[in-house]
Amino acid sequence: MQPAAVPTDRNSDIASAVVATMRQLGVLGLPRNYEIFFEALSGSNHELSLAVVSLSNRPTQEDLDHIGRTFFPQNHGPAIVEHAREMVAKELEDIAALLRSERTHIEKYGRILDETSSGLSNRSLLSRDLLQKIAGAMSVATSSTLDHNRQVASTLSEKTAELESVKSKLEEYKRLADTDPLTQIWNRRAFDKEITRLYNSNRGILFNALILADIDRFKDINDRYGHPVGDRIIQIVAEIFQTSIRADMFVARTGGEEFALIVEGASEDATYQVAERIRVLIEQTPFTSSQTGMNYGTVTVSMGICMASEADSPEDLYSKADRVLYRSKVSGRNRVTRHSTMAGRAGKGWLLYKKD
């Protein structure tokens, strides 16, 4: 697929480019389609742009919805859940009908057994011919019942597989809804749920901590090199976070260039060492273009740490960690600051997705 050329005046003409591209490809003018092409043509998400470019010259709505579910799962949730509900309802109805049929067949088989039993109990009327007829009827009835049971078992197996498929799709949707599409780590929605979990009980709060991180001077990077380069830098920073921590630690992208790391079962000194190791790794990582070889210079992050025991709630924990992150910024950036070393100051709110 070759999208229509994006006009030079992006601020005023990108909407026209989106409409022109959608018309050229025969794409329906649905809001969810417009969102896909707007994000792709604006260049704010490189992975999305590649997905759109890979479409055929006449993409189907199914192809577009697949991209939408991948990059904007929060907007497709109701449709996915409703489709799953309809499928589950249909499968349960089919299973109920199957079980009713099974019951009818078993009752019929029971009547045959009763009739043959009555015939066998009257010894005076038994003869070889009658016994042969009874044996034949029993053989046919038993064979039919066994065949029916095998059919029921096979059908139930198919229904189970279909229900497992629905379950997998719902689990995949849940994963996508909690995953940041650019970096493939957890997103703000998942972070809000995880930080709330820390205060579900008082056990273990003493050795739980929150680290907030922010890429230094990120606006300058975007302004100088463009959003695609900025996106790539965010991806690399996310990779460093993810590969530098234990598997049981939770890391999320909570904003444009902001990250959060929840550390459990560690002292403040151990938590500080985790943050400092990540800070140094990011500072020492070369940020260059694999295509042009251009060096984008040193990228650094500022961090703030607050132990869960120093806060009264998830909101208070986030606010205090954000406060010390700000202190790292105003103190020269590229450093880690602990909440225990400074006085309080108001921070920003945290539960962007408190209501699901």
Side-chain angles (χ1 to χ4, degrees), residues 164-177:
E164 283 294 331
S165 174
V166 174
K167 179 185 175 184
S168 297
K169 288 177 181 177
L170 287 174
E171 289 175 347
E172 176 67 7
Y173 160 66
K174 181 179 181 299
R175 186 190 67 78
L176 288 173

Side-chain angles (χ1 to χ4, degrees), residues 60-327:
T60 66
Q61 189 59 49
E62 183 179 354
D63 293 335
L64 294 169
D65 285 342
H66 175 73
I67 292 177
R69 287 191 296 271
T70 301
F71 292 94
F72 310 103
Q74 68 277 10
N75 298 340
H76 292 256
I80 293 173
V81 172
E82 179 61 21
H83 177 66
R85 187 197 68 79
E86 292 175 355
M87 284 192 65
V88 169
K90 179 182 180 302
E91 296 303 334
L92 291 179
E93 183 179 337
D94 290 347
I95 290 173
L98 189 67
L99 293 177
R100 287 194 296 269
S101 171
E102 174 72 352
R103 178 181 176 181
T104 300
H105 202 89
I106 291 175
E107 289 175 348
K108 180 180 178 182
Y109 186 58
R111 287 196 298 271
I112 293 175
L113 289 179
D114 288 341
E115 292 171 359
T116 54
S117 177
S118 298
L120 290 172
S121 64
N122 194 340
R123 296 176 177 271
S124 61
L125 297 178
L126 286 178
S127 64
R128 189 179 65 178
D129 291 341
L130 180 57
L131 283 174
Q132 286 179 337
K133 289 180 180 180
I134 291 175
M138 285 293 300
S139 176
V140 171
T142 302
S143 177
S144 174
T145 300
L146 290 175
D147 288 343
H148 183 77
N149 289 344
R150 281 191 288 267
Q151 181 64 37
V152 168
S154 175
T155 305
L156 284 176
S157 177
E158 292 173 2
K159 296 299 179 184
T160 300
E162 291 167 0
L163 288 173
E164 283 294 331
S165 174
V166 174
K167 179 185 175 184
S168 297
K169 288 177 181 177
L170 287 174
E171 289 175 347
E172 176 67 7
Y173 160 66
K174 181 179 181 299
R175 186 190 67 78
L176 288 173
D178 287 342
T179 300
D180 175 55
L182 178 63
T183 62
Q184 297 304 304
I185 63 176
W186 298 113
N187 61 14
R188 183 63 187 258
R189 172 190 171 96
F191 167 73
D192 285 345
K193 291 187 288 188
E194 188 68 13
I195 194 175
T196 300
R197 185 187 61 79
L198 292 181
Y199 288 85
N200 285 344
S201 69
N202 292 326
R203 240 174 33 178
I205 288 180
L206 183 63
F207 294 107
N208 292 339
L210 172 63
I211 302 173
L212 293 184
D214 187 273
I215 300 176
D216 295 325
R217 304 187 188 280
F218 188 71
K219 183 178 183 302
D220 294 344
I221 294 173
N222 273 340
D223 291 344
R224 183 173 181 181
Y225 300 111
H227 288 283
V229 171
D231 284 350
R232 182 56 188 148
I233 287 175
I234 287 174
Q235 289 175 325
I236 294 173
V237 169
E239 288 171 9
I240 294 172
F241 265 97
Q242 198 167 32
T243 57
S244 304
I245 60 176
R246 299 194 316 258
D248 60 339
M249 292 183 183
F250 179 95
V251 62
R253 181 188 177 203
T254 55
E257 67 274 18
E258 301 172 357
F259 297 85
L261 177 61
I262 294 176
V263 180
E264 299 185 59
S267 66
E268 184 182 51
D269 287 342
T271 301
Y272 178 84
Q273 292 302 320
V274 170
E276 182 65 14
R277 183 175 69 253
I278 294 172
R279 183 196 66 77
V280 171
L281 281 172
I282 292 172
E283 182 183 21
Q284 294 177 347
T285 296
F287 287 82
T288 58
S289 170
S290 59
Q291 296 177 335
T292 65
M294 175 180 280
N295 190 330
Y296 301 118
T298 300
V299 175
T300 63
V301 296
S302 298
M303 297 186 180
I305 297 174
C306 184
M307 300 300 292
S309 57
E310 298 176 308
D312 298 325
S313 65
E315 183 175 8
D316 189 35
L317 177 61
Y318 186 92
S319 177
K320 288 176 176 176
D322 181 62
R323 198 178 307 158
V324 288
L325 168 60
Y326 178 80
R327 174 61 64 90

